[in-house]
PDB file of all heavy atoms in Angstrom:
ATOM      1  N   PRO D 160      96.503 111.487  93.210  1.00  0.00           N
ATOM      2  CA  PRO D 160      96.467 112.206  91.950  1.00  0.00           C
ATOM      3  C   PRO D 160      96.764 113.686  92.219  1.00  0.00           C
ATOM      4  O   PRO D 160      96.528 114.162  93.324  1.00  0.00           O
ATOM      5  CB  PRO D 160      95.030 112.013  91.468  1.00  0.00           C
ATOM      6  CG  PRO D 160      94.245 111.663  92.682  1.00  0.00           C
ATOM      7  CD  PRO D 160      95.179 111.050  93.674  1.00  0.00           C
ATOM      8  N   LYS D 161      97.299 114.411  91.253  1.00  0.00           N
ATOM      9  CA  LYS D 161      97.608 115.841  91.458  1.00  0.00           C
ATOM     10  C   LYS D 161      96.337 116.651  91.676  1.00  0.00           C
ATOM     11  O   LYS D 161      96.319 117.634  92.392  1.00  0.00           O
ATOM     12  CB  LYS D 161      98.353 116.394  90.238  1.00  0.00           C
ATOM     13  CG  LYS D 161      99.767 115.865  90.120  1.00  0.00           C
ATOM     14  CD  LYS D 161     100.695 116.928  89.537  1.00  0.00           C
ATOM     15  CE  LYS D 161     102.160 116.699  89.799  1.00  0.00           C
ATOM     16  NZ  LYS D 161     102.539 115.340  90.203  1.00  0.00           N
ATOM     17  N   THR D 162      95.281 116.185  91.028  1.00  0.00           N
ATOM     18  CA  THR D 162      93.985 116.851  91.096  1.00  0.00           C
ATOM     19  C   THR D 162      92.935 115.781  91.346  1.00  0.00           C
ATOM     20  O   THR D 162      93.067 114.691  90.828  1.00  0.00           O
ATOM     21  CB  THR D 162      93.680 117.506  89.731  1.00  0.00           C
ATOM     22  OG1 THR D 162      94.748 118.374  89.424  1.00  0.00           O
ATOM     23  CG2 THR D 162      92.395 118.288  89.739  1.00  0.00           C
ATOM     24  N   PHE D 163      91.938 116.089  92.179  1.00  0.00           N
ATOM     25  CA  PHE D 163      90.846 115.127  92.285  1.00  0.00           C
ATOM     26  C   PHE D 163      89.520 115.854  92.427  1.00  0.00           C
ATOM     27  O   PHE D 163      89.460 116.991  92.886  1.00  0.00           O
ATOM     28  CB  PHE D 163      91.069 114.133  93.418  1.00  0.00           C
ATOM     29  CG  PHE D 163      91.078 114.741  94.773  1.00  0.00           C
ATOM     30  CD1 PHE D 163      89.930 114.793  95.536  1.00  0.00           C
ATOM     31  CD2 PHE D 163      92.253 115.276  95.281  1.00  0.00           C
ATOM     32  CE1 PHE D 163      89.942 115.377  96.782  1.00  0.00           C
ATOM     33  CE2 PHE D 163      92.269 115.856  96.533  1.00  0.00           C
ATOM     34  CZ  PHE D 163      91.113 115.906  97.282  1.00  0.00           C
ATOM     35  N   GLU D 164      88.487 115.177  91.986  1.00  0.00           N
ATOM     36  CA  GLU D 164      87.166 115.792  91.927  1.00  0.00           C
ATOM     37  C   GLU D 164      86.150 115.007  92.723  1.00  0.00           C
ATOM     38  O   GLU D 164      86.151 113.784  92.703  1.00  0.00           O
ATOM     39  CB  GLU D 164      86.692 115.858  90.467  1.00  0.00           C
ATOM     40  CG  GLU D 164      87.469 116.852  89.647  1.00  0.00           C
ATOM     41  CD  GLU D 164      86.893 117.044  88.251  1.00  0.00           C
ATOM     42  OE1 GLU D 164      85.663 117.186  88.133  1.00  0.00           O
ATOM     43  OE2 GLU D 164      87.686 117.054  87.306  1.00  0.00           O
ATOM     44  N   GLY D 165      85.302 115.753  93.415  1.00  0.00           N
ATOM     45  CA  GLY D 165      84.066 115.147  93.914  1.00  0.00           C
ATOM     46  C   GLY D 165      84.128 114.326  95.186  1.00  0.00           C
ATOM     47  O   GLY D 165      83.096 113.937  95.683  1.00  0.00           O
ATOM     48  N   ILE D 166      85.295 114.034  95.724  1.00  0.00           N
ATOM     49  CA  ILE D 166      85.333 113.166  96.904  1.00  0.00           C
ATOM     50  C   ILE D 166      84.927 113.946  98.154  1.00  0.00           C
ATOM     51  O   ILE D 166      84.170 113.472  98.984  1.00  0.00           O
ATOM     52  CB  ILE D 166      86.730 112.524  97.079  1.00  0.00           C
ATOM     53  CG1 ILE D 166      87.058 111.653  95.869  1.00  0.00           C
ATOM     54  CG2 ILE D 166      86.776 111.678  98.359  1.00  0.00           C
ATOM     55  CD1 ILE D 166      88.465 111.085  95.859  1.00  0.00           C
ATOM     56  N   ILE D 167      85.451 115.142  98.301  1.00  0.00           N
ATOM     57  CA  ILE D 167      85.068 115.949  99.457  1.00  0.00           C
ATOM     58  C   ILE D 167      84.555 117.311  99.003  1.00  0.00           C
ATOM     59  O   ILE D 167      84.754 117.708  97.857  1.00  0.00           O
ATOM     60  CB  ILE D 167      86.232 116.122 100.459  1.00  0.00           C
ATOM     61  CG1 ILE D 167      87.393 116.852  99.793  1.00  0.00           C
ATOM     62  CG2 ILE D 167      86.706 114.806 101.025  1.00  0.00           C
ATOM     63  CD1 ILE D 167      88.341 117.390 100.802  1.00  0.00           C
ATOM     64  N   LYS D 168      83.915 118.010  99.930  1.00  0.00           N
ATOM     65  CA  LYS D 168      83.320 119.315  99.611  1.00  0.00           C
ATOM     66  C   LYS D 168      84.251 120.436 100.021  1.00  0.00           C
ATOM     67  O   LYS D 168      84.960 120.335 101.015  1.00  0.00           O
ATOM     68  CB  LYS D 168      82.006 119.477 100.398  1.00  0.00           C
ATOM     69  CG  LYS D 168      80.826 118.780  99.756  1.00  0.00           C
ATOM     70  CD  LYS D 168      79.609 118.925 100.656  1.00  0.00           C
ATOM     71  CE  LYS D 168      79.298 120.413 100.888  1.00  0.00           C
ATOM     72  NZ  LYS D 168      78.024 120.631 101.580  1.00  0.00           N
ATOM     73  N   CYS D 169      84.189 121.540  99.297  1.00  0.00           N
ATOM     74  CA  CYS D 169      84.935 122.727  99.700  1.00  0.00           C
ATOM     75  C   CYS D 169      84.347 123.254 101.010  1.00  0.00           C
ATOM     76  O   CYS D 169      83.133 123.241 101.207  1.00  0.00           O
ATOM     77  CB  CYS D 169      84.857 123.789  98.613  1.00  0.00           C
ATOM     78  SG  CYS D 169      85.834 125.243  99.048  1.00  0.00           S
ATOM     79  N   ILE D 170      85.239 123.696 101.921  1.00  0.00           N
ATOM     80  CA  ILE D 170      84.746 124.170 103.228  1.00  0.00           C
ATOM     81  C   ILE D 170      84.254 125.619 103.172  1.00  0.00           C
ATOM     82  O   ILE D 170      83.726 126.129 104.148  1.00  0.00           O
ATOM     83  CB  ILE D 170      85.846 124.057 104.325  1.00  0.00           C
ATOM     84  CG1 ILE D 170      87.119 124.796 103.914  1.00  0.00           C
ATOM     85  CG2 ILE D 170      86.149 122.598 104.631  1.00  0.00           C
ATOM     86  CD1 ILE D 170      88.140 124.928 105.034  1.00  0.00           C
ATOM     87  N   ASN D 171      84.450 126.268 102.029  1.00  0.00           N
ATOM     88  CA  ASN D 171      84.019 127.663 101.889  1.00  0.00           C
ATOM     89  C   ASN D 171      82.564 127.690 101.407  1.00  0.00           C
ATOM     90  O   ASN D 171      82.271 127.313 100.279  1.00  0.00           O
ATOM     91  CB  ASN D 171      84.956 128.344 100.878  1.00  0.00           C
ATOM     92  CG  ASN D 171      84.480 129.735 100.492  1.00  0.00           C
ATOM     93  OD1 ASN D 171      83.541 130.263 101.080  1.00  0.00           O
ATOM     94  ND2 ASN D 171      85.144 130.316  99.498  1.00  0.00           N
ATOM     95  N   PRO D 172      81.624 128.147 102.271  1.00  0.00           N
ATOM     96  CA  PRO D 172      80.211 128.107 101.894  1.00  0.00           C
ATOM     97  C   PRO D 172      79.906 128.928 100.632  1.00  0.00           C
ATOM     98  O   PRO D 172      78.982 128.601  99.894  1.00  0.00           O
ATOM     99  CB  PRO D 172      79.482 128.697 103.104  1.00  0.00           C
ATOM    100  CG  PRO D 172      80.491 128.923 104.154  1.00  0.00           C
ATOM    101  CD  PRO D 172      81.861 128.733 103.594  1.00  0.00           C
ATOM    102  N   SER D 173      80.687 129.992 100.380  1.00  0.00           N
ATOM    103  CA  SER D 173      80.374 130.783  99.184  1.00  0.00           C
ATOM    104  C   SER D 173      81.155 130.348  97.942  1.00  0.00           C
ATOM    105  O   SER D 173      81.122 131.033  96.916  1.00  0.00           O
ATOM    106  CB  SER D 173      80.556 132.282  99.468  1.00  0.00           C
ATOM    107  OG  SER D 173      81.541 132.512 100.413  1.00  0.00           O
ATOM    108  N   CYS D 174      81.832 129.218  98.043  1.00  0.00           N
ATOM    109  CA  CYS D 174      82.540 128.682  96.863  1.00  0.00           C
ATOM    110  C   CYS D 174      81.514 128.279  95.800  1.00  0.00           C
ATOM    111  O   CYS D 174      80.444 127.774  96.124  1.00  0.00           O
ATOM    112  CB  CYS D 174      83.361 127.468  97.283  1.00  0.00           C
ATOM    113  SG  CYS D 174      84.227 126.681  95.908  1.00  0.00           S
ATOM    114  N   VAL D 175      81.862 128.511  94.540  1.00  0.00           N
ATOM    115  CA  VAL D 175      80.930 128.195  93.446  1.00  0.00           C
ATOM    116  C   VAL D 175      80.581 126.699  93.429  1.00  0.00           C
ATOM    117  O   VAL D 175      79.487 126.309  93.005  1.00  0.00           O
ATOM    118  CB  VAL D 175      81.510 128.676  92.083  1.00  0.00           C
ATOM    119  CG1 VAL D 175      82.775 127.886  91.711  1.00  0.00           C
ATOM    120  CG2 VAL D 175      80.489 128.555  90.967  1.00  0.00           C
ATOM    121  N   SER D 176      81.485 125.856  93.967  1.00  0.00           N
ATOM    122  CA  SER D 176      81.198 124.412  93.995  1.00  0.00           C
ATOM    123  C   SER D 176      80.135 124.075  95.037  1.00  0.00           C
ATOM    124  O   SER D 176      79.638 122.953  95.089  1.00  0.00           O
ATOM    125  CB  SER D 176      82.482 123.614  94.265  1.00  0.00           C
ATOM    126  OG  SER D 176      82.964 123.856  95.573  1.00  0.00           O
ATOM    127  N   ASN D 177      79.786 125.051  95.888  1.00  0.00           N
ATOM    128  CA  ASN D 177      78.717 124.853  96.877  1.00  0.00           C
ATOM    129  C   ASN D 177      77.455 125.630  96.519  1.00  0.00           C
ATOM    130  O   ASN D 177      76.552 125.761  97.342  1.00  0.00           O
ATOM    131  CB  ASN D 177      79.191 125.306  98.272  1.00  0.00           C
ATOM    132  CG  ASN D 177      80.171 124.312  98.875  1.00  0.00           C
ATOM    133  OD1 ASN D 177      80.035 123.111  98.688  1.00  0.00           O
ATOM    134  ND2 ASN D 177      81.163 124.814  99.597  1.00  0.00           N
TER     135      ASN D 177
END
Side-chain angles (χ1 to χ4, degrees):
K161 289 214 160 18
T162 304
F163 65 94
E164 290 187 45
I166 298 174
I167 62 163
K168 279 176 58 171
C169 183
I170 55 170
N171 171 8
S173 31
C174 178
V175 66
S176 67
N177 286 324

